[in-house]
Amino acid sequence: MSDKELWPEGVQRCSLKLFIAWLAVIFAVLAWGVYAAYVVWSGGLIVTGMDNYFAFGLYIIFDLAVIALGAGAFFSGLLYYLIRVEGLKNIINLAVIIGFICYSGALLILTLEVGQPLRAWFGFWHPNVHSMLTEVIFCITVYMLVLTIEFIPIILENRKLNKIKFLHHMAHNFHVIMPLFAGVGAFLSFFHQGSLGGMYGVLFSRPYAFREGFFIWPWTFFLFILSAVASGPGFTMLVATLMEKMTGRKLVDFSVKALMGKISGTMLAIYLVFKYLDTWAWATGILPRSGLTFSEVFYGVAYGKWLLFSELIVCGLFPAILLLNAKTRNTPWILYSACTLVGIGVIINRYVQTAQTLAHPVMPFDRWYVYMPTWAEWAPSLAIIAYGALILSLAYRYLPVFPQERKLNQA
Amino acid sequence: MVLYLKEFKIKWGMVIDLDRCTGCGACMVACQAENNIAPPVDASNKRYSLTWLLVYQLSNKQPYPNHDVAYMPRPCLQCGKPNCVPVCPVIATDKNQEGGIVSQVNARCIGCRYCMAACPYHARYFNWHDPVWPEGMEKTLTPDVSTRPRGVVEKCLFCHHRYMAARDKARIEDRDPNALAEGDYIPACVEMCPTGAMVFGDLENPEHKVHKLSKSPYAFRLLERLNTKPQVYYYSKREWVRKQGDNYLEHETVGGV
Ligand code: SF4
Ligand code: SF4
């Protein structure tokens, strides 16, 4: 038994047996996540580590992190379709698929996060135009639709499907209008990445997160956009590399990877300039005005200064230098390590913005609490990773994701 | 993002005398009973409890014999510039009615908890469980207050149903419902306070006690410098108590006296 006719033309894939065994592993993790979802829906959020102090927890941190890492989709799309950076042609399909996974995954997690999931549509029906969250709800949903539209032509290019004339034409026509969707996607992404940052920046009574405004936006709005576009392309490249390691085949040329690294490094450098300014303005302006000192907003290991140091230096300045320098960037292991650090940096940022903001006692007689996620939060998060692995595995096996694969693997 | 300060002709507010409060907790009990807050399923973790009004203990942190404590009841402070209102994506909470009470519509809240993240006073509570009353206790429920299902956020509303009742009564008696006299409308906690530490009224009305008290140099509001402009004032002649009302850096002097 083989499914060879479904593979893209001229490529090699593992045996169907091995593939099914791999899928079984994925489904096991997925099943655990689905069970956790059932427990959360039937028992309520009491099964999570959230409480009256920690209104947001791992669900939100995970969502913010995957949405930042999924930014490779919109940013690569913007660079390829609108600015015409040709090299990205060879990785754009993967970027779109990762974006699709990250956004749909985040939306799935969000259904667990809200206390009244059946009312989630109220966000569209009774929107509060002043709320950053309203902007997030609208933009993420619409962008999810755009990503789906961008994913469809890739699916239609499956060898079997593409033989059907109608689908063939449809795929072609989708391709023609893709720059339009890339533009719409970039616009939407810009706003919701920003609004996610704005969500924290407007908390004027939480000095850890509060930032001053630039027009109607707090400047965390722009910091979130910049940090997302700095980490997204690197993450896309890392996923391609991971897939290469797992399949034992070359999928994208190293020059493309280095290009992604260069994009990440450049955006990271721009981001860091603003992030350093922001940190300085926050420490010398916002904190003392709220009656707080720099040291006071850190606590223990869970909320220690080491996080800030790691975010700004180890996962910021250090990889930025490595990625901007052509010599280090063109050394594979350094490129991969640097992009991994950038990804970790953005995750730390989303963690502190969420957990530390809420943990920090604003009232002088209040105290710090440490947030610990429970299995009911880890399981759905891992399940989303498994869900991503599932989509990527199916896409890699049956869809022409990597245009260079055939050429790169010719003996 | 609009961080607005809405002004109201009537501004219901409280002045709580922290030198009188003994921390007995009668206000908390009265609040729970009046507002149909179900007994906790498991009271071992206070971070899952629903206590619209919570009494905090403040300490001057001095060793004996100079040690001193104060008790600070904290309802929702009905901020003049509430951070919880502009963040709510569905307008389930709003400050739009004469009186300046920050409303909370349970039937519209989607339970995103963004308002909890925004409130620095921990005045908002999430319903972790569906409410269950021990048999017979359901007879003690207040008919004018809706019960809340699991998954929505709730908070103190200054016993808003009592405000409505007071207005209705005034209308029936042919008085102006917008000119309630002192004592026509008071929340359950204020009514129950045995030491008279809690005073309630219209902060804008010079005939109400709270108006004068709130202007006292001994009056302060919690976290004044964050500019949330609460409608709840605290009052204490003890400097260290006033000092704990906000974060003061070492070189800073306390506002007021
Ligand atoms: S105390 Fe908290 S819940 Fe009450 S109005 Fe102010 S911000 Fe909102
Ligand atoms: S929890 Fe309810 S009231 Fe609070 S912000 Fe969300 S929808 Fe609004």
Side-chain angles (χ1 to χ4, degrees), chain A residues 205, chain B residues 74-85 93 95 102 115 118-124 155-156 228 230:
Chain A
S205 46
Chain B
R74 189 246 47 222
C76 164
L77 307 183
Q78 320 297 348
C79 304
K81 211 175 94 176
N83 199 173
C84 57
V85 167
T93 183
K95 188 179 177 85
V102 176
C115 54
C119 172
Y121 306 110
H122 302 298
R124 289 182 166 260
K155 71 169 193 79
C156 154
T228 53

Side-chain angles (χ1 to χ4, degrees), chain B residues 87-90 92-93 104 108-115 124 153:
Chain B
V87 299
C88 176
V90 295
T93 183
Q104 178 71 12
R108 188 184 272 195
C109 169
I110 61 172
C112 69
R113 303 182 300 288
Y114 191 13
C115 54
R124 289 182 166 260
V153 166

Side-chain angles (χ1 to χ4, degrees), chain B residues 181-193:
Chain B
E182 184 147 35
D184 277 354
Y185 155 45
I186 47 168
C189 54
V190 177
E191 185 183 0
M192 202 53 75
C193 176

Side-chain angles (χ1 to χ4, degrees), chain A residues 74-75 78 82 143 181-191:
Chain A
F74 98 82
F75 199 57
L78 178 82
L82 301 180
Y143 185 44
F181 282 103
V184 174
F187 176 79
L188 290 168
S189 278
F190 182 83
F191 273 96

